[in-house]
Amino acid sequence: MSWQTVLGFEIHVELATNTKMFCGCPASHFSVAPNTQTCPVCLGLPGALPVPNAKAIEWAIKLGLALGCEINLLSKFDRKNYFYPDLSKGYQISQYDLPFCVKGNLLNHQVTRVHLEEDTGKLQHVGDKTLIDFNRSGVPLVEIVTEPDFISADDGVDFLKEVQRIVRALGISSADMEKGSMRLEVNISVRPEGQKELPNYKIEVKNINSFKFVKKAIEFETARQIKLLESGVTPVQETRGFSETKNETVSQRSKENAHDYRYFPEPDIPPLQFTKEQIEIWRSELPELPATTRINLIALGLTPAQANILVDSPIRLAKYQELSNSGDSKSAAIAVVNCSEDKLADLTLQKATVITDPATITPLVQKIIADNPKVVADYKSGKTQAIFSLVGQLKRQKPSLDATAIKQIIESQLI
Ligand code: ZN
Ligand code: MN
């Protein structure tokens, strides 16, 4: 029998607000001495009252809008009750039945919901001791949940990368997975090819911190589950972790259901009511989203691969926008694509006037390109350094020309 993987995702993104979700402590907690950014609210001391962060709510809703969601005009926070040492209150303030955003769509996949909650503290295991740092406790966290409508790991990873680009375009988080600003969970199950219904179980793999590992976790789990199913056993519904050293998933605990959390409305925060006008104002403030940027760059004459180099890098994109404001957009885009990221700060566009007469140079460039098919093929396959061989040839013929300008002319001919 042939099998099909069924995948759904939960993505947590830490928002880069100045302050935490329900108190005035600084939200940025990287390279900060442990437990220096805490207060009675984020330590969960008795009697401390939460005050929601308006900026975090605005950003969560803007993210929902960017993901094509409908916005619930009436929304509220709920308590999700569970015990873990990094959760000092014994509950997390999250959203249950009235999240800010529902029913979105991205790359032909359905976004179930986007809600706002608070991050937990951070445990650190040192030898046989476990230390705890509450600087992260209460940092605003957006959770994006998808429908289980993915049937391939690659498709899933493409989706996750697009979410990361959108978050970065909005400027609401670094979405840096190494730092844990973006954390991935994937629900994996397997069904016979051709079956429409969802399998009657699912395995959740938590806290995956790279796109590479999410793919490996899916591949490992799919193979493990197929083996069980073929021996007549339904995999046990559970939460598993991913071991980066062994490249396999490991059982952590049996999966809890929503009712185990005893969700109930947060009594210290009244429900939130938005107006349609407010939502439309936020919609009008959305920046250009990656899908549009990509289309615009390709329309300028960039290849999809070159367009993605720009769209994938916030620093490159910012530099491109800066340069294209004062010069030719296409030259700006190409110069930024070909510049190494650490030298971007110094990159300036040569004025077109440096080139004496493009009409006399273009035929020379075209001849060099025609005479060097191997170099051109190398360049197009991504070995961008290959271009300097062509630059050198033209420089020998026209020594008065500026090498950077030559490089730009050749690049424009190579697209
Ligand atoms: Zn605090
Ligand atoms: Mn969550």
Side-chain angles (χ1 to χ4, degrees):
M1 190 185 316
S2 59
W3 301 92
Q4 183 177 61
T5 319
V6 182
L7 309 167
F9 295 92
E10 283 175 29
I11 308 154
H12 283 90
V13 176
E14 258 187 10
L15 296 180
T17 47
N18 291 329
T19 54
K20 292 187 181 180
M21 189 59 229
F22 299 111
C23 63
C25 294
S28 171
H29 54 88
F30 297 107
S31 318
V32 173
N35 296 307
T36 52
Q37 299 183 162
T38 61
C39 73
V41 173
C42 56
L43 287 173
L45 302 187
L49 290 173
V51 178
N53 181 330
K55 192 49 106 180
I57 294 172
E58 174 190 328
W59 285 1
I61 292 179
K62 282 183 169 170
L63 177 56
L65 290 170
L67 294 171
C69 290
E70 295 169 15
I71 308 302
N72 279 326
L73 294 181
L74 178 67
S75 189
K76 68 178 168 71
F77 286 101
D78 299 276
R79 289 188 182 181
K80 179 181 182 180
N81 300 280
Y82 66 94
F83 169 78
Y84 206 67
D86 62 11
L87 186 72
S88 55
K89 295 199 295 290
Y91 61 87
Q92 177 192 38
I93 305 181
S94 180
Q95 296 194 281
Y96 184 47
D97 53 338
L98 284 176
F100 289 130
C101 324
V102 292
K103 293 187 196 160
N105 190 293
L106 178 69
L107 303 179
N108 293 319
H109 292 285
Q110 292 177 66
V111 174
T112 315
R113 56 188 280 149
V114 176
H115 73 246
L116 193 53
E117 57 191 33
E118 54 179 338
D119 211 343
T120 60
K122 211 171 181 177
L123 298 178
Q124 214 186 95
H125 306 284
V126 182
D128 60 352
K129 292 193 175 65
T130 296
L131 307 174
I132 182 151
D133 176 9
F134 282 111
N135 284 345
R136 196 179 72 175
S137 173
V139 170
L141 201 58
V142 173
E143 181 173 330
I144 303 157
V145 183
T146 79
E147 288 298 300
D149 62 5
F150 296 81
I151 53 170
S152 97
D154 286 332
D155 207 19
V157 170
D158 284 346
F159 178 93
L160 296 170
K161 286 184 175 169
E162 191 71 358
V163 169
Q164 186 185 50
R165 291 182 196 108
I166 290 173
V167 166
R168 288 175 172 172
L170 290 168
I172 61 176
S173 171
S174 67
D176 188 336
M177 283 196 283
E178 280 163 33
K179 286 184 175 165
S181 310
M182 176 164 164
R183 310 196 280 269
L184 310 174
E185 286 164 46
V186 53
N187 291 309
I188 308 169
S189 54
V190 170
R191 67 184 167 200
E193 187 93 52
Q195 180 184 310
K196 287 274 169 289
E197 304 81 55
L198 292 174
N200 58 358
Y201 74 93
K202 66 182 179 201
I203 309 291
E204 185 178 56
V205 184
K206 273 184 119 67
N207 289 331
I208 307 173
N209 63 6
S210 84
F211 295 126
K212 195 176 87 192
F213 292 144
V214 81
K215 199 173 167 198
K216 288 196 166 155
I218 292 167
E219 284 164 356
F220 177 86
E221 258 313 296
T222 302
R224 187 184 73 87
Q225 292 177 25
I226 289 175
K227 210 169 158 192
L228 285 169
L229 289 163
E230 287 188 335
S231 66
V233 179
T234 302
V236 182
Q237 178 133 329
E238 61 180 351
T239 298
R240 299 174 72 90
F242 181 72
S243 160
E244 294 165 17
T245 44
K246 293 192 214 146
N247 271 333
E248 55 188 50
T249 66
V250 280
S251 180
Q252 286 184 335
R253 57 173 193 264
S254 62
K255 175 78 184 132
E256 52 289 281
N257 284 310
H259 64 250
D260 295 327
Y261 290 117
R262 295 279 179 244
Y263 279 98
F264 65 85
E266 166 59 55
D268 294 331
I269 305 174
L272 295 118
Q273 178 76 57
F274 304 99
T275 61
K276 276 191 179 140
E277 291 71 29
Q278 179 60 66
I279 303 300
E280 289 317 309
I281 289 169
W282 283 336
R283 194 195 300 279
S284 72
E285 289 169 356
L286 293 180
E288 181 178 282
L289 296 175
T292 311
T293 310
R294 199 179 288 119
I295 289 168
N296 290 343
L297 288 168
I298 292 170
L300 276 180
L302 268 69
T303 63
Q306 287 174 321
N308 272 333
I309 292 175
L310 274 173
V311 175
D312 279 342
S313 160
I315 339 172
R316 283 185 200 277
L317 209 49
K319 188 69 190 183
Y320 159 67
Q321 269 141 10
E322 176 199 320
L323 292 181
S324 64
N325 283 340
S326 57
D328 171 50
S329 294
K330 185 177 176 183
S331 321
I334 289 165
V336 171
V337 165
N338 289 321
C339 186
S340 68
E341 218 162 81
D342 53 327
K343 296 202 177 95
L344 270 182
D346 304 323
L347 180 68
T348 50
L349 274 193
Q350 296 289 324
K351 287 276 174 283
T353 48
V354 175
I355 299 149
T356 44
D357 180 7
T360 65
I361 293 155
T362 308
L364 294 176
V365 172
Q366 282 166 348
K367 181 161 190 320
I368 289 173
I369 288 173
D371 291 346
N372 293 275
K374 168 87 173 64
V375 179
V376 171
D378 282 352
Y379 174 79
K380 289 193 168 164
S381 75
K383 293 176 193 155
T384 49
Q385 296 301 314
I387 199 167
F388 290 107
S389 143
L390 308 180
V391 173
Q393 293 183 38
L394 186 56
K395 180 84 180 160
R396 281 190 287 280
Q397 293 178 36
K398 290 268 174 189
S400 64
L401 282 183
D402 174 79
T404 312
I406 293 177
K407 182 161 170 274
Q408 281 175 24
I409 305 171
I410 297 177
E411 281 161 357
S412 67
Q413 294 290 321
L414 281 174
I415 284 177

